[in-house]
Amino acid sequence: MLVWYVSYGSNMHSARLAWYIGGGCPPGGKRTYPGCRDRRLPSRSAPVSLPGGIYFAGESGAWTGGMAFYDPHLPGEAAARAYLVTLEQFTDIAAQEMYRPPGDTADLIPAAGAAVDAAVANGRATLGPGRYETLICPGSLDGIPMLTFTAPEGASAVRCRPPAPIYLGMIARGIHESHGWSAGRIATYLAARPGVAGAWPPDAVATLVDEALVTC
């Protein structure tokens, strides 16, 4: 079964997602990923927009600072990127986001197909109480379901926290790579996200985005 894995954070940058699929430690990161059991790269990708927005909260074990989460109840739209992967790859990516080894999905997704069916039917399925254990289906693309995962709480229920510069820069590169936005549009978008707004001055975000896009 094929699904669209929809990323709204650093995995919008294809080189970043490749570490989840192939395994290893990305430059500047603090985690080594085991990779997916199926190490083929996604067969397709497409820019998409999700109703709602992203916010930053918690503590990233890979980069430090806040992590990106999707809240469909925030105003506006969230820039995202859909990757066409197998269901097994999707569950392995989810497992690594939750600090589990690939294949350790017995309690995470008791029946992967059934969980996807529930999310497609209801728009949402709860896989557990932790971060990235809430499965959301924002729709379909070319008749194939789009799936993403986020925290169970929305932005209004948590204490937002600013992301690390390297993490925010990777998101900027992913948006540019997938959507083709200008540096100015990316900076404006990121500067308004909960966790960034009020913690990062807009000119600092603009400088970071400019520097990040030099390496694209």
Side-chain angles (χ1 to χ4, degrees), residues 2-215:
L2 294 177
V3 299
W4 292 101
Y5 159 53
V6 180
S7 171
Y8 48 82
S10 61
N11 282 345
M12 280 192 287
H13 187 36
S14 59
R16 170 71 174 111
L17 179 65
W19 293 100
Y20 276 101
I21 295 175
C25 181
K30 297 180 178 296
R31 286 184 62 199
T32 298
Y33 298 94
C36 293
R37 289 167 287 177
D38 180 348
R39 302 202 170 197
R40 292 174 295 173
L41 293 175
S43 55
R44 290 175 56 194
S45 73
V48 295
S49 297
L50 304 179
I54 67 169
Y55 65 96
F56 295 89
E59 170 74 21
S60 171
W63 310 108
T64 73
M67 300 172 289
F69 296 100
Y70 169 58
D71 182 350
H73 301 296
L74 284 173
E77 290 186 328
R81 185 176 192 175
Y83 295 96
L84 192 60
V85 298
T86 66
L87 182 59
E88 179 186 85
Q89 286 177 314
F90 177 79
T91 59
D92 285 351
I93 292 168
Q96 290 176 88
E97 286 279 20
M98 299 170 209
Y99 292 81
R100 301 168 185 244
D104 181 16
T105 58
D107 60 335
L108 172 64
I109 308 176
V116 169
D117 288 344
V120 170
N122 304 315
R124 188 181 187 100
T126 301
L127 309 176
R131 68 175 202 170
Y132 300 126
E133 291 189 7
T134 296
L135 182 63
I136 292 179
C137 177
S140 63
L141 179 62
D142 295 337
I144 299 171
M146 297 191 294
L147 298 167
T148 192
F149 33 77
T150 187
E153 310 91 355
S156 62
V158 300
R159 181 179 179 181
C160 291
R161 185 171 183 218
I166 188 172
Y167 182 58
L168 197 62
M170 198 169 296
I171 295 174
R173 288 194 292 273
I175 294 173
H176 179 74
E177 184 180 271
S178 57
H179 287 260
W181 289 4
S182 67
R185 184 177 179 183
I186 295 170
T188 298
Y189 170 78
L190 293 177
R193 301 306 98 202
V196 178
W200 279 70
D203 58 344
V205 177
T207 297
L208 181 143
V209 170
D210 286 339
E211 293 174 349
L213 296 193
V214 168
T215 61

